[in-house]
Amino acid sequence: MTIQHTTLMTALEELEPQIIEWRRYLHQHPEPSLKEYQTKEWIQQKLTQQDIPFVSVGETGMLATIKGAQDNGKTILLRADIDALELPDETGTSYASQHEGLNHACGHDGHTASLLATAFVLNDYREAFSGTVLIAFQQAEEIGAGARQFVESGLLGEVDEVFGVHLDSSVPVGKLLAVPGPTNASCDIFKIKVKGVSGHAARPDLGRDALLSAASIVVELQKIVAREINPLESVVVAVGVLDAGTRYNIVANTAVIEGTVRAFSHENRQHAVEAVERIARQVASAHRTEIEFEVYDAAAPLINDAISAERAAKVASDIVGAENVITNQLPSLGADDFADFLAVAPGVYGRVGTRHAENEKTHYAHHHEKFDIDERSLLLASQYHLRYALTYLKEE
């Protein structure tokens, strides 16, 4: 790394207290998906103070642009998600949420603060690099609706590489992840409305039982993974809602099934979703009922590019040492719509450990009311962003 780039890393280190302050402010002011209006305004003010140009994406997303001293024709996008969860905050900290029923319990406050600091340093030292860095402050990751707004905006046509990080409470602070291949599953949310005919429970033959039909559909769906998917590959077909009937002695005329499909490959994802609809229709027909089928595409499988992951591993080694870089970890069936950015350009989604062995407050899982982090991870996240961008833009 050149002396100039070392200067950037030093400047970032000097911002660490500011990053922590920003993260705590954001933790106190969480907003739900697609309603991040105050968060957007706060980020806008910070960008404007530094003369960093940006445009809105959707109602609550932003895309900032930082151009280096020369245009080498390369563009990299860095991304942070900004939304919070509908969840009470039970951390008991001085920076606990001030918005009742809302909580940054997934680390997005840290993502935003860390990437904002990276943007500040890149903007202050534009002469130290060539090319273009796009900074995406993305809304609605938790519902899989934000990244697609960026993709559909038409603003990403020149992007050559994408990079993002996620804080991770299952990993010790001081460790960075750069894992090639699938790291997160796809997420499709399906809803099956079963239509039958009402009747008296004493004469079920005169009705068409939507409840029995729905129950049979649920049972048959469990066979998709067991009999239609390669047993060496992981797929989940799960049903979380079965709602039917109005009274104990009435044959139910409607039923609703809601569930999700998760997969680590595009092929298995497509097959499983199609199988859910196929089986639901055929079983419903066997019970003399009909269905309406809906599916919401929340996220594609997140598959890190092998070359990008190798680059990230080298970058991470420069930051924390090779012994603290994890390049082989089991994938998560949790979804992340950063996958939509990976459909635009190759890239990698890294992770940053936030767990402190002696601080139990940092051991809670994401989406838990008491989720919190070791804030030393924030500077590491900023450094990961900065160093990856500089390394990529410098490569021939």
Side-chain angles (χ1 to χ4, degrees):
M1 184 172 269
T2 67
I3 294 177
Q4 285 182 310
H5 290 179
T6 303
T7 301
L8 269 68
M9 298 298 284
T10 301
L12 195 55
E13 291 173 4
E14 293 174 354
L15 279 176
E16 184 176 16
Q18 183 71 80
I19 300 171
I20 293 173
E21 180 183 328
W22 287 341
R23 180 259 167 170
R24 293 185 177 188
Y25 172 85
L26 292 166
H27 195 88
Q28 289 179 305
H29 301 87
E31 295 180 290
S33 300
L34 297 179
K35 297 181 180 179
E36 310 94 336
Y37 297 106
Q38 293 180 11
T39 304
K40 177 184 179 181
E41 183 178 353
W42 182 85
I43 298 170
Q44 284 179 331
Q45 290 175 352
K46 301 300 181 186
L47 295 174
T48 300
Q49 290 170 5
Q50 298 296 311
D51 295 322
I52 300 175
F54 62 87
V55 295
S56 294
V57 179
E59 291 188 5
T60 51
M62 284 159 290
L63 185 67
T65 301
I66 302 172
K67 291 186 176 293
Q70 297 180 356
D71 184 3
N72 64 2
K74 298 174 71 173
T75 298
I76 184 171
L77 178 140
L78 308 178
R79 172 267 208 172
D81 35 17
I82 67 174
D83 54 331
L85 292 157
E86 291 85 347
L87 189 74
D89 187 331
E90 297 181 4
T91 58
T93 62
S94 61
Y95 49 86
S97 172
Q98 297 178 5
H99 296 175
E100 185 176 355
L102 293 171
N103 185 1
H104 266 298
C106 198
H108 296 187
D109 49 350
H111 300 170
T112 303
S114 296
L115 185 54
L116 185 61
T118 300
F120 274 31
V121 172
L122 285 168
N123 188 61
D124 286 344
Y125 293 90
R126 293 188 297 272
E127 71 279 3
F129 68 94
S130 299
T132 301
V133 181
L134 300 180
I135 310 286
F137 294 101
Q138 182 217 304
Q139 68 276 41
E141 184 280 326
E142 293 292 355
I143 62 172
R148 68 187 54 187
Q149 292 191 33
F150 278 78
V151 174
E152 294 171 355
S153 71
L155 297 171
L156 309 185
E158 302 300 320
V159 172
D160 303 298
E161 181 83 3
V162 296
F163 181 77
V165 300
H166 203 299
L167 301 179
D168 193 332
S169 66
S170 71
V171 177
V173 66
K175 293 188 180 294
L176 301 178
L177 277 70
V179 181
T183 64
N184 292 80
S186 60
C187 178
D188 291 284
I189 304 167
F190 62 82
K191 186 173 187 177
I192 303 167
K193 297 180 181 179
V194 184
K195 297 182 179 181
V197 176
S198 300
H200 198 291
R203 288 297 306 273
D205 56 306
L206 299 180
R208 298 187 179 186
D209 195 341
L211 190 157
L212 179 59
S213 178
S216 299
I217 290 171
V218 171
V219 171
E220 291 301 317
L221 293 184
Q222 307 312 305
K223 300 175 184 178
I224 295 172
V225 174
R227 289 295 177 266
E228 297 193 30
I229 303 296
N230 184 334
L232 298 178
E233 300 184 31
S234 296
V235 174
V236 168
V237 178
V239 173
V241 173
L242 174 53
D243 185 16
T246 58
R247 184 178 168 88
Y248 77 94
N249 61 349
I250 299 176
V251 174
N253 67 351
T254 60
V256 176
I257 303 165
E258 295 182 43
T260 182
V261 172
R262 308 285 174 116
F264 291 115
S265 73
H266 299 287
E267 295 78 14
N268 281 341
R269 178 194 190 191
Q270 180 179 353
H271 181 93
V273 172
E274 291 176 351
V276 169
E277 181 176 9
R278 165 172 47 84
I279 289 172
R281 292 195 184 281
Q282 291 177 352
V283 172
S285 177
H287 285 267
R288 301 181 300 154
T289 58
E290 299 177 348
I291 70 161
E292 293 181 0
F293 182 80
E294 303 173 10
V295 63
Y296 172 66
D297 171 6
L302 197 160
I303 304 173
N304 285 335
D305 178 71
I307 295 175
S308 300
E310 182 179 2
R311 180 186 300 114
K314 291 178 181 178
V315 166
S317 295
D318 290 338
I319 298 171
V320 296
E323 69 279 8
N324 291 311
V325 179
I326 299 172
T327 59
N328 184 18
Q329 189 179 53
L330 290 175
S332 167
L333 283 160
D336 193 302
D337 69 356
F338 185 78
D340 290 344
F341 291 110
L342 287 171
V344 172
V348 61
Y349 199 42
R351 288 186 173 267
V352 178
T354 66
R355 174 186 290 235
H356 188 287
E358 299 176 1
N359 185 351
E360 292 184 358
K361 291 183 177 181
T362 67
H363 292 200
Y364 290 100
H366 295 250
H367 294 215
H368 190 283
E369 296 89 338
K370 294 184 178 181
F371 172 85
D372 205 355
I373 64 171
D374 186 320
E375 291 179 320
R376 289 177 296 173
S377 62
L378 298 173
L379 176 60
L380 291 175
S382 293
Q383 291 173 328
Y384 209 179
H385 275 296
L386 179 62
R387 200 146 188 165
Y388 189 92
L390 295 175
T391 299
Y392 172 75
L393 291 175
K394 184 181 177 183
E395 291 178 357
E396 293 296 333

